[in-house]
Amino acid sequence: MTDIRTTPIEADCFYHIYNRGINGENIFKSDRNYLFFLNKVSEFLIPVCDVYAYCLMSNHFHLLVKIKSDVELESLIKVRNLDKAFVGLHSPQNIFSKQFARIFNSYSQAFNKENNRHGSLIESPFKRKQITSDEYLINTIIYIHQNPQNHSMASDFSKYNFSSYQSILSHSKTLLKRSEVIELFDNRENFITSHRKMIDFEF
């Protein structure tokens, strides 16, 4: 089995990122927790990748991202003067992992302070699978959105508040790649119809 710690993250590639709390512990206990985590995703991940789908559950989360191109990542380093932060290691692997670590650290500190706990909150390293085809990409989006129903967190996944399903169908401002997601499904109607087919992945 491939060690995810040595599996490189490559520019211009799609990845299904998922992780959970230590020993399956809850990492989200309130709406404020979910929103704080999403704010950290916006702050630290959007500069290095495009987010296509997400779902936050009480003890784990899923993200579907596309890493930005080498040119975009190099530009980010120069514009934001991140050379010191990345200690000269400018590969997509290191840039993305550093930004993800910032999310975990910032979120964990806030969560621990709020809940009077200490120590690690989220498992490390974060888990990822590279998406290698359009069919896999589409099925992963559906699977991520169906997660609340699959885990009995909601009777209807389409009404769950902390996934990207509603945002993709809405017309409000979003940092998600909404148009690109809809285009994968051809149109909004097919996006909705395709989500009626239950997807079951083994993780």
Side-chain angles (χ1 to χ4, degrees), residues 44 47 66 110 145:
F44 293 119
K66 183 181 183 184
H145 289 152

Side-chain angles (χ1 to χ4, degrees), residues 58-130:
S58 59
N59 68 351
H60 69 284
F61 65 85
H62 296 268
L63 295 168
L64 177 59
V65 304
K66 183 181 183 184
I67 309 301
K68 291 189 182 293
S69 69
D70 280 324
V71 172
E72 290 173 300
L73 293 175
E74 284 294 333
S75 175
L76 170 75
I77 291 166
K78 291 175 183 176
V79 169
R80 300 200 174 192
N81 194 26
L82 295 180
D83 290 76
K84 291 182 180 179
F86 296 110
V87 200
L89 300 175
H90 295 165
S91 70
Q93 167 78 37
N94 287 293
I95 295 171
F96 187 80
S97 295
K98 285 279 189 182
Q99 294 300 89
F100 227 96
R102 289 179 173 186
I103 293 175
F104 288 169
N105 291 337
S106 179
Y107 181 80
S108 296
Q109 287 176 18
F111 184 91
N112 282 351
K113 184 176 181 180
E114 181 180 289
N115 292 280
N116 195 28
R117 74 181 295 280
H118 304 278
S120 298
L121 175 66
I122 301 170
E123 289 185 352
S124 181
F126 61 87
K127 300 171 181 64
R128 66 243 190 192
K129 291 193 175 182
Q130 187 172 353

Side-chain angles (χ1 to χ4, degrees), residues 1 16 18 62 129 136 143 199-203:
M1 185 174 179
H16 178 192
Y18 55 102
H62 296 268
K129 291 193 175 182
Y136 189 8
Y143 170 80
I199 302 293
D200 184 22
F201 287 162
E202 290 294 329
F203 291 102

